[in-house]
Amino acid sequence: MEAGKIKCKLLRSIRVQFAHKNNIEYVPTECHHVGDCKGTCPACDAELEYLESCIQEKLAKGETIIYK
């Protein structure tokens, strides 16, 4: 497996675990990129922005965020 694909899978796994621990509804999109890549893409960036906005909403409500 190419380095970019490994990075992509790892980052997706981290996002899934983080969302689960913080009770955030999150369903990652499946990567359909063919060939090697940098490990991030506009879809990954959008998912990260979504999680960040969920974190901000939870913090505004006084909820605790679990980072580990």
Side-chain angles (χ1 to χ4, degrees), residues 1-59:
M1 185 177 285
E2 294 145 1
K5 291 289 189 183
I6 293 169
K7 181 179 177 181
C8 177
K9 287 183 88 169
L10 176 63
L11 292 173
R12 183 180 307 117
S13 173
I14 291 169
R15 289 191 302 268
V16 168
Q17 291 173 30
F18 178 83
H20 178 74
K21 288 179 182 179
N22 287 287
N23 297 316
I24 297 171
E25 188 175 325
Y26 169 68
V27 179
T29 57
E30 196 61 38
C31 180
H32 298 290
H33 182 78
V34 177
D36 201 15
C37 63
K38 294 181 180 181
T40 61
C41 67
C44 291
D45 293 342
E47 290 176 4
L48 182 57
E49 287 179 29
Y50 166 74
L51 290 174
E52 288 173 339
S53 69
C54 291
I55 292 167
Q56 293 304 317
E57 288 176 20
K58 286 183 168 286
L59 290 173

